[in-house]
Amino acid sequence: MSDDEEGSEGVLLSGEENATVRIKLEREKRGWSTTTLSDHMNDAGFDMNPSAVWRIENRKRRINLDEAIGFAEVFGVPLSNFVGPPSLATMGRAMELIDNVVATYRASNRANHEARRARDQLDAYLADHPDIREEADVMVSNAIATELIKINEEYGPASDA
């Protein structure tokens, strides 16, 4: 591996650049020739010849989306993993955990947005009905406290994470 390739593996490159590096890494990891890889691509329904594999790996030819999907399928990795940074992508468990963190973060943001929207709707309603604000605020506080207790019982305190 050249110094240039070695240094670029830990850097977040473009998806296409990551894919070209990853193709060679995955092919070599399996001990496949470019011919063997092109055979696997063809068997999976993605038209590819050995010369095209070599040209893609050596950045003499761009990879299109269908081909990237085919390579990911042949190597048995999710497309998002395939186009991710090669140094992380070769560590499948790391990519699974990263994907989980991102998905959980996304879900948490959606939930926070919905919670803000619900609170804003309640506040707008209570602005028109100030006589019930105190009682409504107590109900919300008690319900949230009850939920936190349930969460702590199920998952443990947040500081244990």
Side-chain angles (χ1 to χ4, degrees):
M1 181 180 291
S2 73
D3 288 343
D4 202 32
E5 287 174 331
E6 189 174 292
S8 68
E9 283 188 38
V11 177
L12 180 59
L13 306 171
S14 72
E16 184 175 3
E17 180 72 11
N18 290 341
T20 62
V21 172
R22 185 73 185 274
I23 291 165
K24 188 170 186 176
L25 288 171
E26 291 292 336
R27 181 180 61 74
E28 289 176 345
K29 181 170 76 173
R30 291 166 173 74
W32 293 351
S33 66
T34 55
T35 301
T36 303
L37 178 51
S38 72
D39 289 344
H40 284 288
M41 288 288 287
N42 290 322
D43 290 346
F46 299 93
D47 189 31
M48 180 72 51
N49 62 51
S51 174
V53 172
W54 184 91
R55 289 192 325 268
I56 290 169
E57 286 183 355
N58 291 281
R59 297 166 183 89
K60 307 286 185 200
R61 175 185 178 285
R62 296 189 70 177
I63 182 172
N64 68 42
L65 180 58
D66 289 338
E67 292 166 341
I69 291 168
F71 283 115
E73 183 177 309
V74 164
F75 294 136
V77 297
L79 185 60
S80 62
N81 178 311
F82 180 70
V83 298
S87 61
L88 290 177
T90 58
M91 300 175 171
R93 181 65 178 145
M95 287 304 294
E96 288 174 19
L97 293 170
I98 289 167
D99 288 346
N100 187 41
V101 167
V102 171
T104 304
Y105 179 78
R106 187 178 300 125
S108 175
N109 276 338
R110 277 193 294 262
N112 284 334
H113 179 74
E114 290 299 317
R116 273 192 309 275
R117 181 184 299 163
R119 184 65 213 204
D120 289 347
Q121 289 172 343
L122 176 61
D123 286 342
Y125 182 83
L126 293 175
D128 292 337
H129 301 88
D131 53 308
I132 62 169
R133 175 173 283 287
E134 187 176 338
E135 190 174 0
D137 285 340
V138 168
M139 284 184 67
V140 169
S141 294
N142 287 342
I144 290 173
T146 300
E147 288 303 311
L148 286 174
I149 290 169
K150 289 178 187 175
I151 289 169
N152 283 334
E153 287 172 354
E154 186 173 347
Y155 298 106
S159 61
D160 287 349

